[in-house]
Tab-separated table of all heavy atoms in Angstrom:
chain	number	residue	atom	x	y	z
A	238	ALA	N	145.093	229.766	93.817
A	238	ALA	CA	145.880	230.943	93.454
A	238	ALA	C	146.951	231.159	94.508
A	238	ALA	O	147.041	230.418	95.498
A	238	ALA	CB	144.983	232.174	93.340
A	239	ALA	N	147.783	232.174	94.288
A	239	ALA	CA	148.746	232.558	95.313
A	239	ALA	C	147.970	232.921	96.585
A	239	ALA	O	146.876	233.493	96.503
A	239	ALA	CB	149.572	233.743	94.837
A	240	PRO	N	148.497	232.584	97.764
A	240	PRO	CA	147.731	232.785	99.008
A	240	PRO	C	147.136	234.170	99.169
A	240	PRO	O	146.008	234.308	99.637
A	240	PRO	CB	148.762	232.480	100.101
A	240	PRO	CG	149.711	231.509	99.458
A	240	PRO	CD	149.807	231.942	98.014
A	241	SER	N	147.884	235.203	98.773
A	241	SER	CA	147.394	236.563	98.962
A	241	SER	C	146.399	236.989	97.887
A	241	SER	O	145.810	238.059	97.977
A	241	SER	CB	148.571	237.541	98.969
A	241	SER	OG	149.252	237.509	97.707
A	242	GLN	N	146.187	236.133	96.867
A	242	GLN	CA	145.335	236.532	95.740
A	242	GLN	C	144.165	235.590	95.506
A	242	GLN	O	143.477	235.700	94.490
A	242	GLN	CB	146.187	236.630	94.466
A	242	GLN	CG	147.322	237.631	94.561
A	242	GLN	CD	148.162	237.681	93.300
A	242	GLN	OE1	147.626	237.670	92.197
A	242	GLN	NE2	149.477	237.707	93.462
A	243	VAL	N	143.937	234.659	96.426
A	243	VAL	CA	142.853	233.687	96.232
A	243	VAL	C	141.509	234.387	96.124
A	243	VAL	O	140.730	234.140	95.196
A	243	VAL	CB	142.825	232.663	97.382
A	243	VAL	CG1	141.592	231.775	97.279
A	243	VAL	CG2	144.087	231.808	97.364
A	244	ASP	N	141.209	235.281	97.089
A	244	ASP	CA	139.914	235.960	97.070
A	244	ASP	C	139.756	236.819	95.822
A	244	ASP	O	138.673	236.861	95.221
A	244	ASP	CB	139.761	236.822	98.321
A	244	ASP	CG	139.595	235.988	99.583
A	244	ASP	OD1	139.245	234.802	99.459
A	244	ASP	OD2	139.831	236.526	100.680
A	245	GLN	N	140.830	237.498	95.428
A	245	GLN	CA	140.766	238.360	94.254
A	245	GLN	C	140.513	237.538	92.986
A	245	GLN	O	139.679	237.900	92.141
A	245	GLN	CB	142.071	239.149	94.110
A	245	GLN	CG	142.105	240.060	92.890
A	245	GLN	CD	143.443	240.777	92.765
A	245	GLN	OE1	144.305	240.661	93.637
A	245	GLN	NE2	143.617	241.520	91.689
A	246	PHE	N	141.211	236.416	92.857
A	246	PHE	CA	141.035	235.578	91.669
A	246	PHE	C	139.650	234.942	91.653
A	246	PHE	O	138.981	234.899	90.625
A	246	PHE	CB	142.105	234.490	91.631
A	246	PHE	CG	141.970	233.540	90.477
A	246	PHE	CD1	142.171	233.975	89.166
A	246	PHE	CD2	141.620	232.211	90.688
A	246	PHE	CE1	142.037	233.102	88.096
A	246	PHE	CE2	141.487	231.334	89.622
A	246	PHE	CZ	141.693	231.779	88.324
A	247	GLU	N	139.212	234.479	92.823
A	247	GLU	CA	137.893	233.860	92.891
A	247	GLU	C	136.792	234.866	92.554
A	247	GLU	O	135.812	234.536	91.878
A	247	GLU	CB	137.700	233.282	94.280
A	247	GLU	CG	136.400	232.515	94.454
A	247	GLU	CD	135.509	233.155	95.495
A	247	GLU	OE1	136.046	233.860	96.364
A	247	GLU	OE2	134.303	232.954	95.420
A	248	ALA	N	136.962	236.121	93.002
A	248	ALA	CA	135.983	237.155	92.676
A	248	ALA	C	135.956	237.425	91.176
A	248	ALA	O	134.893	237.642	90.585
A	248	ALA	CB	136.317	238.436	93.438
A	249	LEU	N	137.142	237.401	90.538
A	249	LEU	CA	137.215	237.636	89.098
A	249	LEU	C	136.519	236.508	88.335
A	249	LEU	O	135.749	236.751	87.400
A	249	LEU	CB	138.681	237.747	88.660
A	249	LEU	CG	138.927	237.966	87.157
A	249	LEU	CD1	138.298	239.283	86.712
A	249	LEU	CD2	140.426	237.964	86.867
A	250	VAL	N	136.771	235.259	88.750
A	250	VAL	CA	136.140	234.118	88.084
A	250	VAL	C	134.626	234.174	88.227
A	250	VAL	O	133.884	233.825	87.301
A	250	VAL	CB	136.690	232.790	88.656
A	250	VAL	CG1	135.898	231.589	88.140
A	250	VAL	CG2	138.160	232.623	88.295
A	251	SER	N	134.154	234.628	89.395
A	251	SER	CA	132.712	234.660	89.638
A	251	SER	C	131.991	235.675	88.763
A	251	SER	O	130.767	235.642	88.659
A	251	SER	CB	132.433	234.958	91.108
A	251	SER	OG	132.793	236.299	91.421
A	252	THR	N	132.739	236.602	88.116
A	252	THR	CA	132.100	237.594	87.249
A	252	THR	C	131.923	237.088	85.817
A	252	THR	O	131.348	237.788	84.989
A	252	THR	CB	132.940	238.884	87.196
A	252	THR	OG1	134.220	238.617	86.574
A	252	THR	CG2	133.162	239.439	88.595
A	253	ILE	N	132.416	235.902	85.519
A	253	ILE	CA	132.335	235.387	84.149
A	253	ILE	C	130.886	235.182	83.745
A	253	ILE	O	130.111	234.532	84.443
A	253	ILE	CB	133.119	234.068	84.010
A	253	ILE	CG1	134.604	234.311	84.263
A	253	ILE	CG2	132.917	233.448	82.639
A	253	ILE	CD1	135.426	233.047	84.274
A	254	ASP	N	130.523	235.736	82.598
A	254	ASP	CA	129.171	235.600	82.064
A	254	ASP	C	129.118	234.366	81.177
A	254	ASP	O	129.944	234.207	80.277
A	254	ASP	CB	128.812	236.854	81.268
A	254	ASP	CG	127.392	236.797	80.742
A	254	ASP	OD1	126.555	236.128	81.360
A	254	ASP	OD2	127.122	237.402	79.683
A	255	MET	N	128.180	233.443	81.456
A	255	MET	CA	128.089	232.194	80.711
A	255	MET	C	126.706	232.039	80.078
A	255	MET	O	125.698	232.402	80.676
A	255	MET	CB	128.356	231.001	81.630
A	255	MET	CG	129.699	231.000	82.305
A	255	MET	SD	129.927	229.528	83.344
A	255	MET	CE	131.552	229.846	84.033
A	256	GLU	N	126.693	231.501	78.876
A	256	GLU	CA	125.444	231.151	78.196
A	256	GLU	C	125.537	229.688	77.810
A	256	GLU	O	126.424	229.292	77.057
A	256	GLU	CB	125.240	232.002	76.939
A	256	GLU	CG	125.115	233.498	77.165
A	256	GLU	CD	125.013	234.241	75.838
A	256	GLU	OE1	124.046	233.982	75.092
A	256	GLU	OE2	125.909	235.037	75.541
A	257	TYR	N	124.647	228.855	78.334
A	257	TYR	CA	124.725	227.432	78.041
A	257	TYR	C	123.799	227.068	76.883
A	257	TYR	O	122.852	227.786	76.554
A	257	TYR	CB	124.404	226.601	79.276
A	257	TYR	CG	123.061	226.872	79.897
A	257	TYR	CD1	121.904	226.293	79.390
A	257	TYR	CD2	122.949	227.703	81.005
A	257	TYR	CE1	120.675	226.532	79.960
A	257	TYR	CE2	121.718	227.945	81.588
A	257	TYR	CZ	120.585	227.364	81.063
A	257	TYR	OH	119.370	227.605	81.640
A	258	ASN	N	124.076	225.936	76.296
A	258	ASN	CA	123.289	225.415	75.187
A	258	ASN	C	122.451	224.244	75.684
A	258	ASN	O	122.973	223.145	75.879
A	258	ASN	CB	124.222	224.965	74.051
A	258	ASN	CG	123.463	224.381	72.880
A	258	ASN	OD1	122.250	224.519	72.780
A	258	ASN	ND2	124.183	223.729	71.985
A	259	PRO	N	121.158	224.414	75.916
A	259	PRO	CA	120.347	223.322	76.462
A	259	PRO	C	120.261	222.123	75.525
A	259	PRO	O	120.058	220.999	75.972
A	259	PRO	CB	118.972	223.974	76.671
A	259	PRO	CG	118.952	225.157	75.765
A	259	PRO	CD	120.372	225.640	75.699
A	260	GLN	N	120.433	222.334	74.223
A	260	GLN	CA	120.375	221.217	73.280
A	260	GLN	C	121.510	220.223	73.517
A	260	GLN	O	121.357	219.021	73.290
A	260	GLN	CB	120.431	221.722	71.834
A	260	GLN	CG	119.137	222.339	71.341
A	260	GLN	CD	118.922	223.741	71.880
A	260	GLN	OE1	119.895	224.435	72.194
A	260	GLN	NE2	117.674	224.170	71.988
A	261	TRP	N	122.653	220.715	74.005
A	261	TRP	CA	123.777	219.811	74.291
A	261	TRP	C	123.420	218.855	75.414
A	261	TRP	O	123.644	217.644	75.323
A	261	TRP	CB	125.017	220.626	74.656
A	261	TRP	CG	126.142	219.803	75.186
A	261	TRP	CD1	126.995	219.010	74.478
A	261	TRP	CD2	126.538	219.673	76.567
A	261	TRP	NE1	127.895	218.402	75.320
A	261	TRP	CE2	127.638	218.781	76.594
A	261	TRP	CE3	126.071	220.219	77.749
A	261	TRP	CZ2	128.275	218.439	77.783
A	261	TRP	CZ3	126.701	219.878	78.933
A	261	TRP	CH2	127.788	218.999	78.939
A	262	LEU	N	122.869	219.401	76.511
A	262	LEU	CA	122.498	218.547	77.636
A	262	LEU	C	121.403	217.571	77.229
A	262	LEU	O	121.436	216.396	77.602
A	262	LEU	CB	122.018	219.406	78.803
A	262	LEU	CG	121.635	218.622	80.056
A	262	LEU	CD1	122.821	217.875	80.618
A	262	LEU	CD2	121.030	219.545	81.102
A	263	GLN	N	120.441	218.012	76.446
A	263	GLN	CA	119.363	217.137	76.013
A	263	GLN	C	119.899	216.005	75.151
A	263	GLN	O	119.424	214.863	75.243
A	263	GLN	CB	118.314	217.950	75.265
A	263	GLN	CG	117.539	218.905	76.178
A	263	GLN	CD	116.694	219.906	75.424
A	263	GLN	OE1	116.742	219.963	74.194
A	263	GLN	NE2	115.935	220.703	76.142
A	264	ALA	N	120.898	216.299	74.312
A	264	ALA	CA	121.484	215.256	73.466
A	264	ALA	C	122.158	214.190	74.316
A	264	ALA	O	122.030	212.990	74.059
A	264	ALA	CB	122.484	215.875	72.491
A	265	ARG	N	122.898	214.601	75.360
A	265	ARG	CA	123.566	213.637	76.236
A	265	ARG	C	122.543	212.819	77.019
A	265	ARG	O	122.709	211.600	77.192
A	265	ARG	CB	124.505	214.363	77.198
A	265	ARG	CG	125.692	215.008	76.508
A	265	ARG	CD	126.637	215.649	77.507
A	265	ARG	NE	127.220	214.664	78.389
A	265	ARG	CZ	127.007	214.624	79.704
A	265	ARG	NH1	126.213	215.509	80.276
A	265	ARG	NH2	127.578	213.710	80.456
A	266	GLN	N	121.502	213.452	77.495
A	266	GLN	CA	120.500	212.723	78.263
A	266	GLN	C	119.717	211.759	77.383
A	266	GLN	O	119.273	210.713	77.845
A	266	GLN	CB	119.569	213.706	78.962
A	266	GLN	CG	120.261	214.484	80.081
A	266	GLN	CD	119.313	215.345	80.877
A	266	GLN	OE1	118.346	215.862	80.342
A	266	GLN	NE2	119.605	215.525	82.158
A	267	GLN	N	119.552	212.107	76.102
A	267	GLN	CA	118.865	211.195	75.196
A	267	GLN	C	119.682	209.921	74.987
A	267	GLN	O	119.134	208.815	74.917
A	267	GLN	CB	118.612	211.875	73.843
A	267	GLN	CG	117.793	211.029	72.876
A	267	GLN	CD	116.435	210.668	73.436
A	267	GLN	OE1	115.672	211.543	73.848
A	267	GLN	NE2	116.120	209.373	73.481
A	268	ILE	N	121.009	210.078	74.908
A	268	ILE	CA	121.876	208.902	74.781
A	268	ILE	C	121.707	208.009	76.007
A	268	ILE	O	121.549	206.794	75.896
A	268	ILE	CB	123.351	209.331	74.624
A	268	ILE	CG1	123.555	210.076	73.303
A	268	ILE	CG2	124.269	208.108	74.676
A	268	ILE	CD1	124.933	210.680	73.161
A	269	LYS	N	121.733	208.613	77.202
A	269	LYS	CA	121.566	207.834	78.435
A	269	LYS	C	120.198	207.162	78.479
A	269	LYS	O	120.068	206.012	78.913
A	269	LYS	CB	121.740	208.736	79.656
A	269	LYS	CG	123.147	209.270	79.842
A	269	LYS	CD	123.234	210.117	81.113
A	269	LYS	CE	124.643	210.648	81.322
A	269	LYS	NZ	124.750	211.458	82.553
A	270	ALA	N	119.158	207.880	78.018
A	270	ALA	CA	117.813	207.315	78.023
A	270	ALA	C	117.731	206.111	77.091
A	270	ALA	O	117.084	205.102	77.407
A	270	ALA	CB	116.793	208.383	77.614
A	271	ASN	N	118.406	206.198	75.943
A	271	ASN	CA	118.404	205.080	74.996
A	271	ASN	C	119.091	203.858	75.592
A	271	ASN	O	118.632	202.719	75.429
A	271	ASN	CB	119.092	205.492	73.695
A	271	ASN	CG	118.306	206.535	72.926
A	271	ASN	OD1	117.109	206.718	73.150
A	271	ASN	ND2	118.964	207.233	72.027
A	272	VAL	N	120.213	204.092	76.282
A	272	VAL	CA	120.929	202.987	76.914
A	272	VAL	C	120.065	202.337	77.995
A	272	VAL	O	119.967	201.111	78.084
A	272	VAL	CB	122.257	203.482	77.523
A	272	VAL	CG1	122.912	202.387	78.350
A	272	VAL	CG2	123.200	203.937	76.416
Side-chain angles (χ1 to χ4, degrees):
S241 62
Q242 301 179 43
V243 172
D244 290 341
Q245 179 182 355
F246 177 67
E247 184 242 336
L249 179 62
V250 171
S251 69
T252 65
I253 296 175
D254 183 27
M255 301 181 182
E256 298 176 61
Y257 57 82
N258 179 13
Q260 284 77 27
W261 170 76
L262 182 62
Q263 291 169 355
R265 293 183 64 244
Q266 291 186 327
Q267 185 59 54
I268 294 173
K269 293 182 179 181
N271 292 341
V272 172

